[in-house]
Amino acid sequence: SALTQPASVSGSPGQSITISCIGTSSDVGGYNYVSWYQQYPGKAPKLMIFDVSNRPSGVSDRFSGSKSGNTASLTISGLQAEDEADYYCSSYTSSTTLYVFGTGTKVTVL
Amino acid sequence: EVQLVESGGGLMQPGGSLRLSCVASGFTLSNYNMNWVRQAPGKGLEWVSYISSSSTTIYYADSVKGRFTISRDNARNSLYLQMNSLRAEDTAVYYCARRYCNSATCSYYYWGMDVWGQGTTVTVSS
């Protein structure tokens, strides 16, 4: 079943926000296999974080990932207008299905 | 330019079949594990299926198991998704996505999908 994310998170420009991604010991908590994606309306997702806390080349260092227990987190620091988008976490799962996505979080820049 | 381009979407009646294609350019598809991911209108991302580079390992989401079949033709740099017994709940934009790895020869895979197509729309309705 899908990982749990808050439906929405908002912040003012320059602030920091954190998006949580709650799973179980069979997925988020059991493995260091969490990724995060940014998606603008009508566009394909973009990989922002892989393996819990690593950024692909070209992704701003304002984006950071972490994990504690069954909860993974994405922090966006120095919030900018261009960060307004939907964000999804994803994890490996030891069930028969391999991948699970989070429910998604809409980030609004006030 | 590294690119994935999906095609094959359309309007289908419930119970019908459709085959999606995804053509890779700018990289050697045969080195990469690949996925299909879908997104229903106004909804979140849902992983659909995974295939390893040599087709030896395949996984499906429970929602499509027994109805969908993933395959690839590395010689044609192409990935496919055969969808049978289509249901209204299969209505979605379908994306193909490349699993992220450490180099062009992928000696090590990371957990993430780094290249996505633009998506192809499948609508199942009577």
Side-chain angles (χ1 to χ4, degrees):
Chain A
S1 123
L3 307 174
T4 301
Q5 298 180 231
S8 62
V9 173
S10 61
S12 299
Q15 286 187 329
S16 292
I17 62 169
T18 297
I19 302 167
S20 60
C21 171
I22 303 172
T24 69
S25 58
S26 296
D27 39 62
V28 174
Y31 311 90
N32 288 324
Y33 294 143
V34 176
S35 54
W36 289 89
Y37 302 87
Q38 176 191 64
Q39 187 182 35
Y40 294 112
K43 300 296 185 183
K46 174 187 177 182
L47 178 65
M48 304 302 284
I49 296 288
F50 67 94
D51 291 359
V52 176
S53 59
N54 297 282
R55 282 185 308 275
S57 173
V59 172
S60 171
D61 60 3
R62 297 186 299 104
F63 292 84
S64 62
S66 62
K67 192 188 82 165
S68 178
N70 294 338
T71 300
S73 299
L74 175 71
T75 297
I76 309 174
S77 52
L79 199 61
Q80 299 179 1
E82 68 202 50
D83 301 331
E84 189 163 290
D86 293 325
Y87 292 83
Y88 295 90
C89 61
S90 173
S91 172
Y92 168 82
T93 171
S94 58
S95 74
T96 57
T97 55
L98 187 66
Y99 277 85
V100 60
F101 277 99
T103 50
T105 298
K106 181 175 180 56
V107 168
T108 300
V109 181
L110 302 172
Chain B
E1 182 190 3
V2 171
Q3 200 173 7
L4 294 168
V5 178
E6 302 96 336
S7 61
L11 173 63
M12 293 300 299
Q13 290 193 336
S17 297
L18 206 56
R19 188 197 199 202
L20 305 184
S21 298
C22 168
V23 177
S25 60
F27 68 98
T28 304
L29 184 73
S30 60
N31 291 339
Y32 290 84
N33 299 339
M34 298 294 295
N35 294 274
W36 286 98
V37 176
R38 68 184 181 184
Q39 187 169 33
K43 302 296 184 182
L45 300 174
E46 180 188 14
W47 171 79
V48 173
S49 185
Y50 164 97
I51 186 168
S52 62
S53 57
S54 58
S55 304
T56 53
T57 302
I58 288 174
Y59 290 90
Y60 297 99
D62 288 341
S63 57
V64 306
K65 203 171 292 184
R67 300 186 300 121
F68 289 12
T69 302
I70 190 171
S71 64
R72 62 195 296 161
D73 184 341
N74 288 334
R76 294 178 183 270
N77 252 13
S78 295
L79 174 73
Y80 305 103
L81 186 68
Q82 176 67 44
M83 304 187 296
N84 299 331
S85 303
L86 284 164
R87 305 168 180 168
E89 53 265 37
D90 296 320
T91 294
V93 175
Y94 284 73
Y95 297 100
C96 59
R98 186 180 84 171
R99 186 169 175 189
Y100 190 32
C101 65
N102 65 325
S103 69
T105 54
C106 290
S107 56
Y108 181 82
Y109 280 95
Y110 304 118
W111 192 258
M113 302 179 206
D114 68 329
V115 178
W116 295 65
Q118 84 289 349
T120 187
T121 301
V122 174
T123 304
V124 183
S125 175
S126 53

